[in-house]
């Protein structure tokens, strides 16, 4: 009787499969939305865009902490927020849709590679050249996703600084890019894992030759 793969691997594979096809569906919807707007089927003024501000803004708010019978002052110095474009301008909506499409496409390809690795592991094909290729591609895609995120945030930052003004809010130069460094770290770990898999494949091939 053929041994089954571990339950955790099978569950991960099916979760990855569901996520993959779900993201494909979202990708198709975004493409339909973009084409519909270009064809005039979706009116420009019907899109009310809300997006996260790429930068933080200065606030000066004082509060108090009541603890142990004492009162401690606290201050809010920076905050993040979403920006709501009422009757979103054409350029902003198109830029948002295209950016979303690029991000979803990268994520779909990453899910596809991850699912392919799990599919091989599920059938006991662990140390094979295909998995090495998938792991390296996954690492490259994560770096590409990081570069896209940084580029998007810088572009949005300079555009908002140039085009958007508020009466009582002062934007800062803090983009919070350190919060995305995990992508580079994860890409490095995956790349190292690919090298380990390569060593495993080499040992397996040498073992097969000696049998």
């Amino acid at each position: 009787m053929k041994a089954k793969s571990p339950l955790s691997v099978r569950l991960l594979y099916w979760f990855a499969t569901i996520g993959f096809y779900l993201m494909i569906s979202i990708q198709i919807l975004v493409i339909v939305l973009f084409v519909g707007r270009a064809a005039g089927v979706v009116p420009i003024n019907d899109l009310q865009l809300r997006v996260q501000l790429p930068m933080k803004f200065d606030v000066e708010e004082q509060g108090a902490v009541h603890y142990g019978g004492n009162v401690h002052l606290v201050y809010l110095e920076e905050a993040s927020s979403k920006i709501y474009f009422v009757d979103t301008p054409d350029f902003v909506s198109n830029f948002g849709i295209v950016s979303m499409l690029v991000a979803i496409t990268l994520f779909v390809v990453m899910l596809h590679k991850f699912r392919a690795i799990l599919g091989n592991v599920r059938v006991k094909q662990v140390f094979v050249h295909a998995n090495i290729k998938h792991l390296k591609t996954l690492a490259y895609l994560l770096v590409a996703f990081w570069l896209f995120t940084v580029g998007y945030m810088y572009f949005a930052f300079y555009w908002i600084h140039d085009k958007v003004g508020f009466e009582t809010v002062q934007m800062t130069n803090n983009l919070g890019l350190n919060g995305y460094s995990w992508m580079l770290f994860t890409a490095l770990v995956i790349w190292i894992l690919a090298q380990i898999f390569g060593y495993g494949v080499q040992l397996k091939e040498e073992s097969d030759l000696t049998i």
Side-chain angles (χ1 to χ4, degrees):
M1 183 178 177
K2 187 177 180 180
K4 289 185 177 181
S5 58
L7 178 61
S8 58
V9 173
R10 284 179 283 152
L11 286 175
L12 278 174
Y13 176 79
W14 287 113
F15 279 129
T17 299
I18 293 171
F20 174 73
Y21 286 109
L22 179 62
M23 293 305 297
I24 285 287
S25 301
I26 295 174
Q27 185 182 35
I28 292 172
L29 286 175
V30 173
I31 292 173
V32 170
L33 175 62
F34 183 74
V35 173
R37 284 176 54 77
V41 178
V42 180
I44 293 174
N45 291 338
D46 284 356
L47 185 61
Q48 308 294 315
L49 190 63
R50 292 175 174 85
V51 294
Q52 187 71 32
L53 272 175
M55 76 288 282
K56 295 183 178 181
F57 59 89
D58 287 325
V59 293
E60 294 182 2
E61 186 68 26
Q62 178 180 309
V65 176
H66 301 272
Y67 180 75
N70 297 317
V71 178
H72 304 272
L73 292 178
V74 293
Y75 295 91
L76 289 178
E77 296 181 344
E78 282 188 345
S80 58
S81 176
K82 289 185 178 181
I83 184 169
Y84 171 32
F85 291 94
V86 181
D87 297 333
T88 308
D90 189 24
F91 170 77
V92 174
S93 57
N94 286 334
F95 176 73
I97 292 173
V98 171
S99 298
M100 186 188 304
L101 185 58
V102 172
I104 291 173
T105 300
L106 287 171
F107 193 67
V108 164
V109 179
M110 284 191 286
L111 269 178
H112 172 67
K113 294 300 178 182
F114 181 62
R115 179 172 171 267
I117 294 170
L118 290 174
N120 288 335
V121 174
R122 195 166 65 111
V123 295
K124 308 295 185 181
Q125 297 294 318
V126 180
F127 294 109
V128 293
H129 288 285
N131 282 344
I132 299 172
K133 183 178 179 181
H134 292 322
L135 284 169
K136 288 182 178 180
T137 303
L138 197 54
Y140 294 143
L141 286 168
L142 269 172
V143 174
F145 199 92
W146 178 82
L147 289 172
F148 167 75
T149 302
V150 171
Y152 166 83
M153 293 185 70
Y154 268 110
F155 180 85
F157 168 76
Y158 285 112
W159 190 89
I160 289 174
H161 257 293
D162 184 53
K163 303 295 183 183
V164 180
F166 295 97
E167 294 181 0
T168 59
V169 174
Q170 180 65 39
M171 300 294 179
T172 71
N173 294 325
N174 184 4
L175 293 179
L177 293 177
N178 290 335
Y180 297 94
S181 58
W182 64 268
M183 295 184 190
L184 295 178
F185 177 76
T186 305
L188 178 61
V189 171
I190 293 174
W191 175 263
I192 294 173
L193 189 60
Q195 306 308 311
I196 295 173
F197 268 60
Y199 183 65
V201 169
Q202 182 181 349
L203 290 178
K204 181 177 179 297
E205 290 176 346
E206 291 176 356
S207 176
D208 291 340
L209 289 175
T210 57
I211 296 176

